[in-house]
Amino acid sequence: MTDSAHAETADAPAARASAAVPGRRRRRHLIDWSAYVFLVPWFVGMLFTVIPFGASLVLAFTDYDLLNPPKFIGMQNFTEILHDERVHKSLVVTFIYCLVSVPTSLAAALGVALMLNRGLRGLPIYRAIYYLPSLLGSSVAVVMLWRQVFSTQGIVNTALAWFGIQGPSWTSDPHTALSVLILLHIWTFGAPMVIFLAALRQVPTMYYEAAAVDGASRWRQFRSITLPMISPIIFFNLVLATIGAMQSFTQSFVMSNGTGGPADSTLFYNLYLYIQGFSRFHMGYASALAWVLLLIIAALTAINFLAQRYWVFYEN
């Protein structure tokens, strides 16, 4: 074989590779465009989020009542928020609701998940039964049913009467009304329960076997193996539950007929925002309230992320 033939043979793969480059570029070009096509619904959906988001930020610095053009007033809405006693009251109610209902509901969810993780027969049925309230808990119908259960002549007071106890009107008493809403929130622990149950299934059994050989009790195994192994899931549920609790609205709106009563004992921050925006048409003030709530939730989430390094265990 001559030198020229060797050269042609050596150059052939390079020539085929160079010829294939435009083809690959065209395919990559098509793939890139196809990705954008699939993202079009997301971009369209973002418009319905970004535009109201930006509009509320602008309205937060205006005096706007829906009937007249917005009037720029600078930081006045935010200054009024600092001195509004009902804002302070709604924040206290919302924080109490969040601080009590979130850890209690997560504890209930984890307890039920541990029970279901023991290999009960008919597990899918139990799982569906416990998950169902989380789908219905914030619905208007369930809240109205809950209000009837805790009314003066409701099931709870009827049961207490069997033991000679005269129960109060739970939803009309300022001292008990918020407790009813907290119980309703705890009752809807199904969603975190399902996530906890999936996490418990992922804990390797070899850890429990080794602990059993060393004579560790079930409580010690739960404290030293189960909790650290599922701590990322606990953190995940904690963040979601905190954000959800701070945004609660329907329960208070239906239970108090939109007033936050009795005596503002169920006045959630979101309900007060609704009252300002859609009952009194103070849309600028309501927008400022919404942005304050966003900052509060962002701060709470940041605190959770900063604190998680001290108690969340990541295996890797």
Side-chain angles (χ1 to χ4, degrees), residues 28 33 43 65 68 93 139 144 200 269 309 313:
R28 186 164 59 247
W33 276 110
F43 284 117
D65 59 2
N68 299 300
V93 171
S139 66
M144 292 184 69
L200 291 172
Y269 188 91
R309 67 180 67 176
F313 170 73

Short mmCIF file of all heavy atoms in Angstrom, two decimals, residues 28 33 43 65 68 93 139 144 200 269 309 313:
data_model
loop_
_atom_site.label_atom_id
_atom_site.label_comp_id
_atom_site.label_asym_id
_atom_site.label_seq_id
_atom_site.Cartn_x
_atom_site.Cartn_y
_atom_site.Cartn_z
N ARG A 28 -28.66 18.71 18.15
CA ARG A 28 -28.62 19.43 19.42
C ARG A 28 -29.46 20.70 19.33
O ARG A 28 -30.15 21.07 20.28
CB ARG A 28 -27.18 19.76 19.76
CG ARG A 28 -27.04 20.37 21.14
CD ARG A 28 -25.61 20.34 21.63
NE ARG A 28 -24.71 21.04 20.78
CZ ARG A 28 -23.75 20.46 20.05
NH1 ARG A 28 -23.59 19.16 20.11
NH2 ARG A 28 -22.95 21.17 19.28
N TRP A 33 -34.44 23.49 21.03
CA TRP A 33 -35.71 24.15 20.74
C TRP A 33 -36.88 23.34 21.29
O TRP A 33 -37.87 23.92 21.77
CB TRP A 33 -35.88 24.34 19.23
CG TRP A 33 -35.20 25.58 18.74
CD1 TRP A 33 -34.09 25.66 17.97
CD2 TRP A 33 -35.59 26.93 19.05
NE1 TRP A 33 -33.75 26.96 17.76
CE2 TRP A 33 -34.66 27.78 18.40
CE3 TRP A 33 -36.63 27.50 19.78
CZ2 TRP A 33 -34.75 29.15 18.49
CZ3 TRP A 33 -36.72 28.88 19.86
CH2 TRP A 33 -35.78 29.69 19.22
N PHE A 43 -43.64 29.06 31.10
CA PHE A 43 -43.46 30.50 30.93
C PHE A 43 -44.81 31.22 30.94
O PHE A 43 -44.94 32.30 31.53
CB PHE A 43 -42.72 30.79 29.62
CG PHE A 43 -41.24 30.51 29.68
CD1 PHE A 43 -40.66 29.54 28.89
CD2 PHE A 43 -40.43 31.21 30.57
CE1 PHE A 43 -39.30 29.27 28.96
CE2 PHE A 43 -39.07 30.97 30.64
CZ PHE A 43 -38.50 29.99 29.84
N ASP A 65 -58.27 52.07 46.10
CA ASP A 65 -59.54 51.52 46.59
C ASP A 65 -60.37 50.86 45.48
O ASP A 65 -61.57 50.69 45.64
CB ASP A 65 -60.36 52.59 47.28
CG ASP A 65 -60.68 53.75 46.34
OD1 ASP A 65 -60.30 53.69 45.14
OD2 ASP A 65 -61.33 54.71 46.78
N ASN A 68 -60.86 54.43 42.39
CA ASN A 68 -60.07 55.59 41.94
C ASN A 68 -58.67 55.13 41.57
O ASN A 68 -58.20 54.08 42.04
CB ASN A 68 -60.00 56.62 43.07
CG ASN A 68 -61.38 57.13 43.46
OD1 ASN A 68 -62.09 57.69 42.63
ND2 ASN A 68 -61.76 56.90 44.71
N VAL A 93 -52.11 35.66 67.02
CA VAL A 93 -52.98 34.50 66.78
C VAL A 93 -52.33 33.54 65.79
O VAL A 93 -52.32 32.32 66.01
CB VAL A 93 -54.36 34.98 66.25
CG1 VAL A 93 -55.19 33.78 65.79
CG2 VAL A 93 -55.10 35.75 67.33
N SER A 139 -61.30 22.34 53.39
CA SER A 139 -62.47 22.62 52.57
C SER A 139 -63.55 23.30 53.40
O SER A 139 -63.63 23.12 54.62
CB SER A 139 -63.00 21.34 51.95
OG SER A 139 -63.50 20.49 52.95
N MET A 144 -67.34 23.71 58.13
CA MET A 144 -68.72 23.91 58.62
C MET A 144 -69.15 22.73 59.46
O MET A 144 -69.83 22.89 60.49
CB MET A 144 -69.66 24.11 57.43
CG MET A 144 -69.42 25.41 56.67
SD MET A 144 -70.59 25.67 55.34
CE MET A 144 -72.09 25.95 56.28
N LEU A 200 -39.53 5.98 56.56
CA LEU A 200 -39.26 4.86 57.48
C LEU A 200 -38.94 3.59 56.72
O LEU A 200 -38.14 2.76 57.17
CB LEU A 200 -40.47 4.65 58.40
CG LEU A 200 -40.73 5.75 59.43
CD1 LEU A 200 -42.06 5.52 60.14
CD2 LEU A 200 -39.59 5.79 60.45
N TYR A 269 -53.64 36.24 60.20
CA TYR A 269 -53.06 37.36 59.44
C TYR A 269 -53.66 37.42 58.03
O TYR A 269 -54.00 38.48 57.53
CB TYR A 269 -51.55 37.19 59.38
CG TYR A 269 -50.82 38.37 58.79
CD1 TYR A 269 -50.37 39.40 59.60
CD2 TYR A 269 -50.58 38.45 57.42
CE1 TYR A 269 -49.70 40.49 59.07
CE2 TYR A 269 -49.91 39.53 56.88
CZ TYR A 269 -49.47 40.54 57.70
OH TYR A 269 -48.81 41.62 57.15
N ARG A 309 -28.64 22.60 60.41
CA ARG A 309 -27.29 22.05 60.45
C ARG A 309 -26.96 21.46 61.82
O ARG A 309 -26.01 20.70 61.95
CB ARG A 309 -26.28 23.15 60.10
CG ARG A 309 -26.19 24.25 61.15
CD ARG A 309 -25.16 25.31 60.76
NE ARG A 309 -25.59 26.04 59.58
CZ ARG A 309 -24.93 27.06 59.07
NH1 ARG A 309 -23.78 27.43 59.63
NH2 ARG A 309 -25.38 27.70 58.01
N PHE A 313 -29.44 15.10 60.00
CA PHE A 313 -28.33 14.21 59.67
C PHE A 313 -28.44 13.78 58.21
O PHE A 313 -29.45 13.21 57.79
CB PHE A 313 -28.36 12.97 60.57
CG PHE A 313 -27.39 11.90 60.15
CD1 PHE A 313 -26.03 12.05 60.35
CD2 PHE A 313 -27.85 10.73 59.54
CE1 PHE A 313 -25.14 11.07 59.96
CE2 PHE A 313 -26.96 9.74 59.14
CZ PHE A 313 -25.61 9.91 59.35
#
